[in-house]
Amino acid sequence: TAVGTKFVDFEMQTPDGKSVKLSDYAGKGKVVLVDFWASWCGPCIRETKVIKELLREYGSQGLEVLGVAVWDEPQNTMRAIEQHQLPWPQILNAQTIPTDLYGISGIPCIILISPDGTIISRDKQDDELRADVKAMMEDFVKR
């Protein structure tokens, strides 16, 4: 799950019993920013401002955002999504499944995945994240 490798897929059940996979979003020809977060995590909530800015700037150019709620209760996640007006899709109640797969020991953990499913950035925030997204989107738009 390091930079330069293909993303590792995982599957979760949605609250309404449907199945959702990371591969439903990643590796489908778009740049995907995956935000592993929790409602109780102050740095996670602060970083949503940056993610919203990136989505505003690059969403029309093909950037997609996916939230993956880990280590959290689904009702708290839903409350935080509403309270902080997070407009992107979310995988809820993932608990430790993706964090174990990706070796995530702290959140937020943000992973940027290229259109072909390669991890191109990991564990960046704020200006470093902005720079990586900008570079990837400039490359993506040229194609």
Side-chain angles (χ1 to χ4, degrees):
T1 60
V3 171
T5 63
K6 293 283 186 187
F7 76 93
V8 176
D9 204 9
F10 58 87
E11 183 174 359
M12 303 299 307
Q13 296 297 314
T14 62
D16 59 6
K18 293 182 182 159
S19 178
V20 63
K21 299 178 190 175
L22 180 56
S23 60
D24 292 339
Y25 300 91
K28 301 270 188 209
K30 302 248 179 154
V31 177
V32 180
L33 183 155
V34 184
D35 178 28
F36 297 90
W37 72 289
S39 65
W40 50 262
C41 167
C44 297
I45 300 303
R46 281 192 299 278
E47 199 65 18
T48 62
K49 179 179 178 241
V50 173
I51 296 169
K52 285 180 182 179
E53 291 169 6
L54 291 167
L55 189 57
R56 266 194 303 276
E57 186 167 353
Y58 298 108
S60 63
Q61 297 173 36
L63 175 69
E64 293 188 353
V65 174
L66 173 66
V68 180
V70 296
W71 312 331
D72 206 357
E73 295 299 322
Q75 63 273 21
N76 295 341
T77 303
M78 293 300 295
R79 206 169 18 255
I81 291 167
E82 188 175 311
Q83 180 182 352
H84 300 288
Q85 300 177 346
L86 307 182
W88 47 84
Q90 300 280 342
I91 295 177
L92 304 180
N93 201 26
Q95 300 307 338
T96 62
I97 293 168
T99 56
D100 288 350
L101 278 173
Y102 281 83
I104 297 169
S105 58
I107 52 174
C109 177
I110 299 171
I111 296 178
L112 194 61
I113 301 174
S114 72
D116 72 358
T118 302
I119 296 171
I120 53 169
S121 174
R122 182 179 167 140
D123 297 319
K124 305 268 183 83
Q125 295 179 40
D126 304 314
D127 288 341
E128 286 183 326
L129 178 62
R130 286 184 183 98
D132 282 0
V133 170
K134 180 180 180 188
M136 185 67 223
M137 292 310 298
E138 286 173 354
D139 184 52
F140 179 66
V141 170
K142 287 178 191 171
R143 296 178 190 182

